[in-house]
């Protein structure tokens, strides 16, 4: 009884796609910049004779849930937006995804993709993700007027200097750190601090190998200290506050800075603020590496759809598509051979970091979602009610090896 | 000699009806018992993103009760059972009793009190998130009126956030409780009130000794619905606090949903769901059993 | 003797709707008064006003020489028995009986004594530990009466107490209530729409219609000499035969030309014009042989017979009006048979056709 419905549906859909050369694409891109960027891809795909059928749901988690429901019903869409990493590993292991060696070779992207990304594109030894854009996650966005008023013209390069600056902002009556208590936000801030103290190699090794020694290092403890110390610098009502409400505090020059990913640029843009003029972007103090996430697509195995899937993969890997897409979305291209002259200063810094290899993958790209979730829970518990830092370090190790 | 259906044992007498209803029973069994059974089954497997059949015994359960967030969820459920269920019952009863006194504008008031029920929990959650946000909501407003020292920032602290959720839930749930209890009150013979009045029994005493005991079935129904509501509560939490601060307002349903979809951990999610199933059964089954006993034991009048 | 219950010029209204306009009624101590009337006649409303559950729009109610018009029900010295019994469902019979006293602060020993007394009178002893749900309708009714009884009240109010019971039980409880009244000699005001209850129980019947009292009198008076056409038609089953005619000089000319001389009827001076002759079914009788002294004759054609066992009701046509008469035992007549029927005008009723009032 169970296979009956999905098979019928699959047949119906397969016959449908055979006529119209359609490929249904699951994604969570619904905001202004995302939709504009998506249109670039849709147009390029159309030029190759395939129609993009949009299956978009707001919120990555919601979209993920809807996608999984369709996979479990035996009727996946033809492509699915993913953050590269282990997210689709289980599907790849079960041979439910189409590897993309051919389009990867055809696009000539192989040499232009940074090593870290190239490695994370692979699952079980084959490339499955077609990456299109990179988001720098560990930015510090700051209000230039506030910065000027408290007598700074650039971001201090070490944490002591950083806290001195926060004190100055506090004294001047500003909220030093615009902070939103959303779980993923709190998590990002901690990781950002952690990366700045561990450096990209130790940080990545700690996550991918659950390295006890690194967790037990002084640098880790120092990161916890700094994270905890931020409690004294955040505004009121941070619990449950949305990240963009916090960004708005910086935009309104009420707060000095926010730890945020580069999607915050969209908020500044919407408020008519220009990068480098009204607000600045800096990589955090410390070792200067940047956390990144990479947006990509993977392709569920589906009868008769491989041509369309290959075509979409090639489009996604195309340098010009990547340039236009990222200009609109506010991120920067995965390919390091794209002309960056039209991009803003933040994207240029990001692209530069990437070319230098000074990037580390966000823990989403490395960790299993279950472990990932354990860590997010832990960090949020700690932020809500700080306790002994060494105990926290032990708990962190437990979560990492969950 | 043929036995006519009239003379046969009573259980064979209605077989055409039973036959006609059998597909309904089959579907009900398949849907409810089948899915519940499958859920329990999965909780003993190594399923993560996709269901698999590899058995891992009680591993998920052991991990579950070693997870702080899950234990917090259960404790929060307990807190809501007391605050939210009792609160709804008390407030709902007071509202229902007030309306039952034949007040003017009863229909309007009833609509107003019931209105929150028509609002999605997501909306309720968002509105109360704003109301309870110290910078935007009640605190800001009261301070703006000149009471500078007034604080109402329950959502911001781990110890109080769950009570903030209870208040939002109360706002939404009291109306339904009121309607259920009002229906119960309306079902009470009017002459009972008169009899009590003729005997000189004070109003409050009439409520306590005569009316409340009569409302027991309505109260039990309301309490069961409210309890089930807590077991299901997901959207309110997501919209209002998203489980925070930390895991202070996590509830089992959210834990299960997060594990099922976001964390791709079917095993843990189904183990959590199974625990909830058992706890719901633990509440419902005794209630049903006692009712069945009472019915069976009652002599025909 | 002073009346124990005195209703003076009372009127009752629900909003703008007047249910009972100005009504007067006096009840003597120990009297059993039945308020009788069709539904909607205001009898229950009147009872509820006596109890203090409904406010008066005007007038006064006096009980035992006290003006209780605005007194709380509990301070009026009344006890009430409801149609639905209104027993406290979650309490045992004993608790039902004692609850009012307990709340009123009566000491425990007294409560125990009174409950035992009441239970004795109403034979409730074996039921004391049961709950209302485990009692039969008749038992519940006895408990309801008991609840009024324990409170030592001056006036008992019964609001259609038997109408939820089946016919057999109704008969039994009727006798029980009658016995109770004779034993206790308390004042009782009893509302019913059942004329058999009214006839059997009442010392005096108050017949009501549209909030107005139509007649107050003993059952015999109400039955034998109805004050108007409404009472004549409402009381008695089968109903009174009503024959229209023209009255002149003590003689009534019926529709078919039959003339009857109202010998022995206390006709008022100069009564004349359209009138209606009222005859109870048992007042008409067939007769063989000579016409008895003072009886009048009517010609009837038999239509149909209803055998009731102890008596037979014969339906017939008299002067173009459908009538009936009853004979003891089995007295069926052939369909279409024609025969003379007789009656004594002195026992008959005569009403003014215009006003409906008794002449």
């Amino acid at each position: 009884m169970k296979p009956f419905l999905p098979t019928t549906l699959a047949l119906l859909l397969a016959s449908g796609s055979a006529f119209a050369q359609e490929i249904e694409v699951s994604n969570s891109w619904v905001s202004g910049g995302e939709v504009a960027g998506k249109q670039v891809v849709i147009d390029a795909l159309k030029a190759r004779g395939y129609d993009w059928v949009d299956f978009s749901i707001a919120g990555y988690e919601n979209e993920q849930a809807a996608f999984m429901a369709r996979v479990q019903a035996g009727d996946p869409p033809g492509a699915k937006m993913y953050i590269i990493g282990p997210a689709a590993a289980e599907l790849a292991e079960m041979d439910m995804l189409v590897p993309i060696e051919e389009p990867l070779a055809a696009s000539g992207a192989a040499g232009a993709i940074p090593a870290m990304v190239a490695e994370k594109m692979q699952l079980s030894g084959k490339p499955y993700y077609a990456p299109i854009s990179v988001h720098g996650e560990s930015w510090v966005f700051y209000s230039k007027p506030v910065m000027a008023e408290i007598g700074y013209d650039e971001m201090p390069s070490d944490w002591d200097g950083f806290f001195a600056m926060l004190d100055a902002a506090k004294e001047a009556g500003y909220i030093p750190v615009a902070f939103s208590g959303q779980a993923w936000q709190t998590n990002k801030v901690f990781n950002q601090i952690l990366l700045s103290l561990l450096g990209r190699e130790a940080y990545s090794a700690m996550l991918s190998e659950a390295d006890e020694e690194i967790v037990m290092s002084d640098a880790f403890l120092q990161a916890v200290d700094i994270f905890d110390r931020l409690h004294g610098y955040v505004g009121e009502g941070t619990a449950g506050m949305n990240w963009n409400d916090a960004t708005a505090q910086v935009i309104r020059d009420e707060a000095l800075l926010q730890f945020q990913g580069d999607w915050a640029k969209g908020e500044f843009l919407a408020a008519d603020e220009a990068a480098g003029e009204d607000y600045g972007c800096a990589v955090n103090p410390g070792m200067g590496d940047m956390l990144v996430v990479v947006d990509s697509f993977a392709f569920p195995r589906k009868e008769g759809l491989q041509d369309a899937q290959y075509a979409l993969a090639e489009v996604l890997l195309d340098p010009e598509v990547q340039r236009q897409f990222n200009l609109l979305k506010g991120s920067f291209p995965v390919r390091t051979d794209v002309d960056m002259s039209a991009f803003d200063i933040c994207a240029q810094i990001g692209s530069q970091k990437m070319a230098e290899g000074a990037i580390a993958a966000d823990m989403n790209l490395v960790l299993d979602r279950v472990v990932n979730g354990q860590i997010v829970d832990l960090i949020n518990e700690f932020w809500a009610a700080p306790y002994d830092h060494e105990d926290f370090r032990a708990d962190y190790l437990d979560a990492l090896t969950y | 000699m043929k036995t006519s259906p009239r003379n046969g044992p009573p259980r064979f007498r209605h077989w055409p009806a039973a036959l006609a209803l059998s597909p309904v029973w089959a579907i009900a069994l398949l849907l409810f018992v089948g899915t519940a059974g499958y859920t329990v089954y999965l909780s003993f497997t190594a399923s993560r993103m996709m269901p698999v059949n590899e058995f891992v015994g009680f591993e998920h359960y052991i991990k579950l009760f070693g997870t702080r967030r899950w234990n917090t969820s259960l404790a929060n459920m307990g807190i809501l059972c007391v605050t939210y269920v009792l609160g709804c019952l008390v407030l709902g009863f007071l509202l229902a009793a007030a309306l039952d006194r034949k007040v003017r504008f009863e229909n309007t008031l009833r609509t107003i009190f019931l209105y929150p029920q028509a609002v999605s929990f997501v909306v309720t959650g968002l509105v109360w998130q704003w109301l309870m946000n110290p910078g935007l909501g009640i605190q800001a407003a009261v301070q703006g009126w000149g009471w500078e020292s007034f604080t109402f920032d329950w959502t911001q602290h781990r110890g109080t956030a769950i009570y903030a959720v209870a208040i939002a839930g109360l706002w939404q749930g009291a109306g339904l409780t009121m309607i259920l209890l009002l229906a119960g009150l309306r079902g009470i013979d009017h002459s009972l009130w008169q009899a009590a009045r003729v005997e000189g029994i004070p109003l409050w005493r009439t409520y306590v000794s005569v009316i409340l005991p009569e409302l027991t079935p309505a109260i039990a129904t309301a309490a069961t619905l409210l309890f089930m509501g807590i077991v299901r509560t997901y959207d309110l939490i997501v919209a209002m606090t998203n489980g925070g601060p930390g895991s202070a307002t996590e509830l089992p349903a959210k834990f299960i949903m997060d594990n099922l979809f976001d964390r791709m951990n079917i095993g843990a999610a189904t183990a959590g769901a199974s625990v909830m199933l058992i706890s719901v059964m633990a509440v419902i089954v005794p209630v049903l059993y006692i009712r069945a006993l009472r019915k069976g034991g009652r002599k025909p009048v | 003797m002073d009346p124990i219950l005195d209703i003076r010029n009372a009127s009752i209204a629900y909003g703008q709707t007047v249910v009972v306009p100005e009504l007067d009624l006096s009840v003597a101590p120990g009297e059993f008064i039945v308020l009788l009337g069709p539904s909607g006649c205001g009898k229950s409303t009147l009872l509820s006003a006596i109890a203090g559950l409904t406010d008066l729009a005007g007038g006064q109610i006096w009980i035992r020489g006290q003006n209780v018009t605005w007194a709380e029900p509990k301070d009026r010295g009344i006890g009430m028995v409801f149609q639905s019994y209104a027993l406290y469902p979650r309490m045992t019979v004993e608790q039902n009986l004692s609850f009012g006293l307990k709340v009123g602060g009566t000491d425990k020993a007294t409560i125990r004594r009174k409950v035992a007394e009441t239970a004795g009178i109403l034979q409730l002893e074996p039921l004391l530990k049961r709950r209302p749900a485990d009692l039969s309708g008749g038992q519940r009714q006895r408990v309801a009466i008991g609840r009024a009884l324990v409170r030592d009240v001056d006036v008992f109010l019964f609001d259609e107490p038997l109408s939820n019971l089946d016919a057999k039980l109704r008969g039994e409880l009727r006798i029980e209530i009658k016995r109770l009244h004779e034993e206790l000699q308390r004042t009782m005001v009893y509302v019913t729409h059942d004329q058999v209850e009214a006839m059997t129980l009442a010392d005096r019947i108050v017949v009501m219609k549209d909030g107005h009292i139509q007649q107050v009198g003993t059952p015999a008076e109400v039955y034998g000499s109805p004050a108007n056409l409404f009472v004549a038609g409402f009381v008695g089953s089968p109903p009174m035969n009503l024959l229209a005619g023209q009255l002149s000089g003590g003689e009534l000319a019926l529709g078919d030309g039959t003339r009857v001389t109202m010998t022995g009827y206390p006709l008022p001076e100069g009564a004349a014009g359209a009138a209606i002759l009222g005859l109870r079914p048992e007042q008409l009788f067939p007769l063989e042989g000579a016409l008895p002294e003072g009886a009048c004759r009517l010609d009837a054609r038999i239509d149909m017979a209803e055998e009731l066992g102890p008596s037979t009701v014969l339906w017939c046509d008299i002067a173009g009006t459908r009538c009936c008469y009853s004979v003891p035992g089995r007295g069926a007549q052939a369909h279409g048979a024609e025969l003379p029927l007789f009656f004594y005008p002195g026992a008959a009723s005569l009403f003014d056709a215009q006003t409906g009032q008794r002449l």
Side-chain angles (χ1 to χ4, degrees), chain A residues 83-302:
Chain A
I83 288 165
I84 62 167
E90 215 171 313
L91 291 181
E93 273 166 33
M94 297 172 95
D95 196 30
M96 294 172 76
L97 292 180
V98 179
I100 53 159
E101 286 115 331
E102 276 182 46
L104 186 59
S107 69
I113 293 177
M116 186 278 279
V117 179
E119 182 205 320
K120 297 269 184 290
M121 281 167 64
Q122 316 243 346
L123 297 167
S124 328
K126 286 183 193 163
Y128 282 96
Y129 297 111
I132 178 164
S133 66
V134 183
H135 280 287
E137 284 197 332
S138 52
W139 292 105
V140 179
F141 289 102
Y142 56 91
S143 157
K144 285 212 146 186
V146 176
M147 188 88 131
E149 197 181 317
I150 61 172
Y152 283 80
D153 35 82
E154 63 177 9
M155 190 61 57
S157 59
D158 59 61
W159 284 105
D160 287 340
F162 184 80
F163 277 106
M165 178 182 69
L166 294 188
D167 284 328
K170 200 174 181 178
E171 218 146 280
Y174 293 103
I175 301 167
V177 178
F179 192 93
S180 99
Q182 285 173 304
W184 61 275
Q185 279 287 298
T186 313
N187 180 53
K188 253 180 224 323
V189 172
F190 179 73
N191 277 284
Q192 198 166 336
I193 297 167
L194 194 56
L195 173 67
S196 81
L197 289 153
L198 293 178
R200 61 178 181 268
E201 271 158 35
Y203 177 81
S204 302
M206 176 193 79
L207 291 180
S208 55
E209 288 149 38
D211 191 315
E212 186 176 348
E213 224 169 278
I214 300 172
V215 176
M216 289 298 157
S217 67
D218 287 347
F220 189 99
L221 206 56
Q222 215 181 325
V224 182
D225 294 341
I226 289 170
F227 182 58
D228 192 6
R229 210 172 150 191
L230 285 179
H231 276 111
Y233 298 93
V234 299
E236 244 194 350
T238 58
M241 186 192 275
N242 284 319
W243 68 268
N244 46 347
D245 292 333
T247 310
Q249 294 179 334
V250 179
I251 293 172
R252 291 196 304 263
D253 300 324
E254 289 165 12
L256 170 62
L257 60 85
Q258 183 188 21
F259 296 98
Q260 194 53 281
D262 55 17
W263 46 83
K265 289 194 294 183
E267 299 290 313
F268 286 101
L269 194 65
D272 274 333
E273 299 223 327
E277 290 169 35
D278 305 301
Y279 71 96
C281 41
V283 179
N284 14 288
M287 298 174 75
D289 293 328
M290 170 137 62
L291 276 178
V292 295
V293 285
V294 180
D295 290 334
S296 69
F297 284 81
F299 306 91
R301 195 174 286 287
K302 218 171 166 181

Side-chain angles (χ1 to χ4, degrees), chain A residues 64 87 90 239 369 381, chain B residues 49 69 156 247 262-264:
Chain A
Q64 175 75 8
E90 215 171 313
R369 291 198 72 76
E381 274 291 307
Chain B
M49 184 187 279
R69 182 171 156 190
Q156 300 299 314
S247 59
D262 184 32
R263 304 213 167 151
M264 303 293 156

